Amino acid sequence: MGQMNLRVKDERLALIDRAAEIRGVTRTEFVLRASEAAAIETLNERPVIALDDEAYDAFLAALDAPAEPNDRLRERFARRPLWER
């Protein structure tokens, strides 16, 4: 089992203690629940895409394939850059 030690200003500790008391849990349990919820939220912000081997190979092939210019891209490259105008 891991361990975590924190140094916390008295004002923050009092705030945490008040909230823990309202929830009816210990300070440790309150902090663990809050940090776990924040960790889950953060991890959920980054989507995970799972692919089988065939789909992964197709994905890599698409990344490696040269891009085919379209009319809009050709038009953009035909314009002189701002610094040359």
Side-chain angles (χ1 to χ4, degrees):
M1 181 181 297
Q3 184 175 343
M4 185 183 299
N5 297 308
L6 302 171
R7 292 183 182 195
V8 182
K9 290 186 179 183
D10 291 338
E11 300 84 28
R12 291 179 117 180
L13 201 54
L15 179 69
I16 291 168
D17 286 343
R18 282 196 337 247
E21 185 177 340
I22 289 170
R23 290 273 169 97
V25 297
T26 65
R27 176 192 300 161
T28 299
E29 185 63 25
F30 184 85
V31 170
L32 287 175
R33 287 180 186 180
S35 60
E36 182 178 25
I40 289 169
E41 181 182 335
T42 299
L43 293 173
N44 285 337
E45 290 172 359
R46 301 191 73 114
V48 175
I49 301 171
L51 303 173
D52 61 25
D53 289 342
E54 184 178 339
Y56 182 71
D57 290 341
F59 175 70
L60 290 181
L63 289 177
D64 291 337
E68 294 190 24
N70 56 31
D71 291 338
R72 187 173 175 194
L73 184 61
R74 284 188 197 94
E75 178 186 312
R76 181 67 186 118
F77 276 110
R79 284 193 240 158
R80 287 180 36 210
L82 290 174
W83 60 88
E84 290 181 3
R85 292 182 193 174

